[in-house]
Amino acid sequence: MKGSPILHPFLLSVVPLLFLFAHNLKRFPLSLEELFIPVAASLVLCSVLFLAAQGVLKDPHKSGLAVSVFFFSLYLYGPVHNAVRYALFGFWNDVLFLLCGIFWVALIWKIASSIKNWERPTKTLNAVGLILLVLNCASIVHLLQQNSRKAVRHAVVSQEIKEGSPDIYFIILDGYARADVLRDIYLFDNSEFIEFLTRNGFFVADESRANYSQSSLCLASTLNLNYLDELLPPRLSNSSNRAPLLELINRSAAVERLRSRDYRIVSFASGYFGTELKEVDIYLDSNRSLSEFQKLIIRTTPLELVARAFKGKPDLEKHRDRVLNALERLPFIKRGPAPLFVVAHILAPHPPFIFDEQGKSADLSGFFLFSDGSHYHRMGPDQIRQYIEDYRKQTIFITRRIMAVITELLSRPEAKPVIILQSDHGPGAYLHWENPYKTNLRERMSILNAIYFPTQNYRELSERTTPVNTFRVVFNEVFSEGYGLLPDRIFFSTWSRPYEFYEVDEFFRAHREAQALR
C-alpha cells in the first residue's frame, strides 16, 4: 500500500479507553488487567470495520477515515447522553442513539462521495492519535506509580489508627414506614420488630421523620451532616438536575471524615443510579461478570442499548437478586486491618414489589420501574389498594430478613459495630409528586430510625431525631467530635422541582390558617 500507513483508526479506537482508565485511576485502585479485554476487543472491531470499509469504498484512506468517524461517534455518545440523562433523571433518550447513527451515516456518505485526496488528513490524524496515545500512557504510568506509593503510606497509617475504631454499618431500607404509619395505613403491626431492636440495645426514634421526601435528597443531606440549602447553590432552586446530588453522595463529608480515620469504605449496589455510591474501596454487586471499569466502558457507549436488547434475566429478577445479595452478604463482610464503613441502600420495601410475605417471587415479567406514588398508580383508588397490599407483603419479608442481619452482626465474637438502620423516606400510597396538598405527608415523611452504639450512650438522641443529625451524633459518640446538633426540619419538594423546598410544618400551618380565614 503506497502513501502514509493507516494508523489513526486503530489509535483512536483505544485512546478513549486509555483516557477513561487514567481518569478513573485518579480515584480507584484499578488494575491494568481490566484494560486488556476492552483494548483487544476495540482493536478487533477496528480491524473488522476497516476491512469491511475497504471492500465497499476501495480506498484505504477513506476507509480509515470512516472507521475513525465511527469510533468518534461511539465514544461521543456517552458524554452527550450523560448530560441528557441527568436532565431527564435516568430515562434513556433513544432519539440520541438515532441521531448518532444519522450523523455517522451522513459523514460516511460524504467521505465516500468525495473525490478529494485524503492522504494529508491521514497524516494529520496519525500524528494526533500518536500524541494522544503517548500522553495517556504516560498519565497511566505516573498514576500507577503514585497509587503504589500511596498504598505503602496507607498501610503504615492503618497500623496507627485502627485501634479502637468500630465498624460502622449504615443500612437504608428504602421507603420503610414508621411503626404508627404501618399500623394505621398498611394494617401491619411491626411491634415485634421494634421490641427486637430495643431488646438488642438499639435506640428507636419512634417519632422520627425524613428531612426530605426523595431518596437522593435524603442521602445527600444525611451523608453531608447538613441541610441541602447550605450545601447547594441557590441557582439550583428551579432546576430538575439531580447531578449535584450524586456529587454530594459520592464525595460526602461523612465518607471523607471516615477516610481520614483510615476506614475502608464498602457499598452495595442498589441498582438506582440516583443514589449509587461507587467511589469506594469495595463495591459489591450481585452480577460481577465484568469489572466496574468494564461496565463503565459499556455505559459510555451505545453498547448498553445493545446489551439491554440481548439481556438474559428480566430486570425485575436482577433487582430481586440484588436485594437478596445485599441481605445475604451484609453481615459477612470480612474486617481487615482497617475498620469498615459499610453502606447498604436496599431498595425495599419500596416498589417494585417483588416479594410476598415468605420472600417468594411476585410477578417478574413486567416493566422494571422504581416509580412510587402518583408515578406508580396514577392515584386511582384500585391501584392505591393494590399498592398497600403489595407493600405490606414486601415489608413483612424485609422485616424478617433484616432481623436476621442484625442478629448476625451483633453475634460477632469481635467488637460490636455501630449500626444505623434508617429509611430515607416513607412509602407512597398517598403520595402525589406534584401536589403537596394532595399528599399524605405523615405517610411520606415518617420513617424508621434506629441506632445501635456498643456503649449504649444515647444522650444526644431524642424521639424526634432526624437523619441530618445521624452522623453528627455518631461522630460525637465514636470519635469524641464536637458537632452541634441541627434543628430537625422537614421539607417536601415535587419531582419536577426537587430543590424548591416546602418546610412542612411552617408551610402547611400557614396554609391551614389561610384556609380558616376564607
Side-chain angles (χ1 to χ4, degrees), residues 7 48 66 110 200 210 215 413:
L7 299 178
V48 171
K110 181 68 175 176
N200 280 281
S215 296

mmCIF file with all atom_site columns, all heavy atoms in Angstrom, residues 7 48 66 110 200 210 215 413:
data_model
loop_
_atom_site.group_PDB
_atom_site.id
_atom_site.type_symbol
_atom_site.label_atom_id
_atom_site.label_alt_id
_atom_site.label_comp_id
_atom_site.label_asym_id
_atom_site.label_entity_id
_atom_site.label_seq_id
_atom_site.pdbx_PDB_ins_code
_atom_site.Cartn_x
_atom_site.Cartn_y
_atom_site.Cartn_z
_atom_site.occupancy
_atom_site.B_iso_or_equiv
_atom_site.pdbx_formal_charge
_atom_site.auth_seq_id
_atom_site.auth_comp_id
_atom_site.auth_asym_id
_atom_site.auth_atom_id
_atom_site.pdbx_PDB_model_num
ATOM 1  N N   . LEU A 1 7   ? -2.927  4.391   10.444 1.00 0.00 ? 7   LEU A N   1
ATOM 2  C CA  . LEU A 1 7   ? -2.797  4.077   11.874 1.00 0.00 ? 7   LEU A CA  1
ATOM 3  C C   . LEU A 1 7   ? -3.921  4.668   12.716 1.00 0.00 ? 7   LEU A C   1
ATOM 4  O O   . LEU A 1 7   ? -4.290  4.127   13.764 1.00 0.00 ? 7   LEU A O   1
ATOM 5  C CB  . LEU A 1 7   ? -1.448  4.599   12.394 1.00 0.00 ? 7   LEU A CB  1
ATOM 6  C CG  . LEU A 1 7   ? -0.182  4.033   11.761 1.00 0.00 ? 7   LEU A CG  1
ATOM 7  C CD1 . LEU A 1 7   ? 1.041   4.714   12.364 1.00 0.00 ? 7   LEU A CD1 1
ATOM 8  C CD2 . LEU A 1 7   ? -0.111  2.526   11.954 1.00 0.00 ? 7   LEU A CD2 1
ATOM 9  N N   . VAL A 1 48  ? -12.011 -5.363  11.811 1.00 0.00 ? 48  VAL A N   1
ATOM 10 C CA  . VAL A 1 48  ? -13.153 -5.866  11.033 1.00 0.00 ? 48  VAL A CA  1
ATOM 11 C C   . VAL A 1 48  ? -13.813 -4.730  10.259 1.00 0.00 ? 48  VAL A C   1
ATOM 12 O O   . VAL A 1 48  ? -14.128 -4.866  9.061  1.00 0.00 ? 48  VAL A O   1
ATOM 13 C CB  . VAL A 1 48  ? -14.167 -6.559  11.970 1.00 0.00 ? 48  VAL A CB  1
ATOM 14 C CG1 . VAL A 1 48  ? -15.461 -6.886  11.228 1.00 0.00 ? 48  VAL A CG1 1
ATOM 15 C CG2 . VAL A 1 48  ? -13.564 -7.830  12.569 1.00 0.00 ? 48  VAL A CG2 1
ATOM 16 N N   . ALA A 1 66  ? -13.463 6.684   7.654  1.00 0.00 ? 66  ALA A N   1
ATOM 17 C CA  . ALA A 1 66  ? -14.804 6.226   8.007  1.00 0.00 ? 66  ALA A CA  1
ATOM 18 C C   . ALA A 1 66  ? -14.795 5.502   9.353  1.00 0.00 ? 66  ALA A C   1
ATOM 19 O O   . ALA A 1 66  ? -15.679 5.704   10.190 1.00 0.00 ? 66  ALA A O   1
ATOM 20 C CB  . ALA A 1 66  ? -15.344 5.300   6.922  1.00 0.00 ? 66  ALA A CB  1
ATOM 21 N N   . LYS A 1 110 ? -20.621 11.315  2.882  1.00 0.00 ? 110 LYS A N   1
ATOM 22 C CA  . LYS A 1 110 ? -19.851 12.470  2.410  1.00 0.00 ? 110 LYS A CA  1
ATOM 23 C C   . LYS A 1 110 ? -18.437 12.051  2.020  1.00 0.00 ? 110 LYS A C   1
ATOM 24 O O   . LYS A 1 110 ? -17.906 12.466  0.979  1.00 0.00 ? 110 LYS A O   1
ATOM 25 C CB  . LYS A 1 110 ? -19.810 13.532  3.520  1.00 0.00 ? 110 LYS A CB  1
ATOM 26 C CG  . LYS A 1 110 ? -19.057 14.804  3.149  1.00 0.00 ? 110 LYS A CG  1
ATOM 27 C CD  . LYS A 1 110 ? -19.780 15.594  2.085  1.00 0.00 ? 110 LYS A CD  1
ATOM 28 C CE  . LYS A 1 110 ? -19.082 16.922  1.826  1.00 0.00 ? 110 LYS A CE  1
ATOM 29 N NZ  . LYS A 1 110 ? -19.728 17.661  0.728  1.00 0.00 ? 110 LYS A NZ  1
ATOM 30 N N   . ASN A 1 200 ? -32.295 -5.553  71.829 1.00 0.00 ? 200 ASN A N   1
ATOM 31 C CA  . ASN A 1 200 ? -30.890 -5.737  71.458 1.00 0.00 ? 200 ASN A CA  1
ATOM 32 C C   . ASN A 1 200 ? -30.060 -4.468  71.624 1.00 0.00 ? 200 ASN A C   1
ATOM 33 O O   . ASN A 1 200 ? -28.928 -4.407  71.148 1.00 0.00 ? 200 ASN A O   1
ATOM 34 C CB  . ASN A 1 200 ? -30.798 -6.226  70.015 1.00 0.00 ? 200 ASN A CB  1
ATOM 35 C CG  . ASN A 1 200 ? -31.063 -7.713  69.887 1.00 0.00 ? 200 ASN A CG  1
ATOM 36 O OD1 . ASN A 1 200 ? -30.190 -8.535  70.164 1.00 0.00 ? 200 ASN A OD1 1
ATOM 37 N ND2 . ASN A 1 200 ? -32.287 -8.062  69.495 1.00 0.00 ? 200 ASN A ND2 1
ATOM 38 N N   . ALA A 1 210 ? -38.382 12.032  57.966 1.00 0.00 ? 210 ALA A N   1
ATOM 39 C CA  . ALA A 1 210 ? -37.343 12.302  56.972 1.00 0.00 ? 210 ALA A CA  1
ATOM 40 C C   . ALA A 1 210 ? -37.159 13.807  56.832 1.00 0.00 ? 210 ALA A C   1
ATOM 41 O O   . ALA A 1 210 ? -38.103 14.582  56.971 1.00 0.00 ? 210 ALA A O   1
ATOM 42 C CB  . ALA A 1 210 ? -37.731 11.693  55.635 1.00 0.00 ? 210 ALA A CB  1
ATOM 43 N N   . SER A 1 215 ? -35.287 10.142  47.792 1.00 0.00 ? 215 SER A N   1
ATOM 44 C CA  . SER A 1 215 ? -34.110 9.387   48.224 1.00 0.00 ? 215 SER A CA  1
ATOM 45 C C   . SER A 1 215 ? -32.813 10.144  48.035 1.00 0.00 ? 215 SER A C   1
ATOM 46 O O   . SER A 1 215 ? -31.981 10.227  48.953 1.00 0.00 ? 215 SER A O   1
ATOM 47 C CB  . SER A 1 215 ? -34.028 8.057   47.469 1.00 0.00 ? 215 SER A CB  1
ATOM 48 O OG  . SER A 1 215 ? -35.116 7.230   47.764 1.00 0.00 ? 215 SER A OG  1
ATOM 49 N N   . PRO A 1 413 ? -17.870 -12.419 67.494 1.00 0.00 ? 413 PRO A N   1
ATOM 50 C CA  . PRO A 1 413 ? -17.013 -12.537 68.680 1.00 0.00 ? 413 PRO A CA  1
ATOM 51 C C   . PRO A 1 413 ? -16.146 -11.301 68.899 1.00 0.00 ? 413 PRO A C   1
ATOM 52 O O   . PRO A 1 413 ? -15.766 -10.992 70.027 1.00 0.00 ? 413 PRO A O   1
ATOM 53 C CB  . PRO A 1 413 ? -16.148 -13.767 68.354 1.00 0.00 ? 413 PRO A CB  1
ATOM 54 C CG  . PRO A 1 413 ? -16.156 -13.867 66.860 1.00 0.00 ? 413 PRO A CG  1
ATOM 55 C CD  . PRO A 1 413 ? -17.499 -13.369 66.430 1.00 0.00 ? 413 PRO A CD  1
#
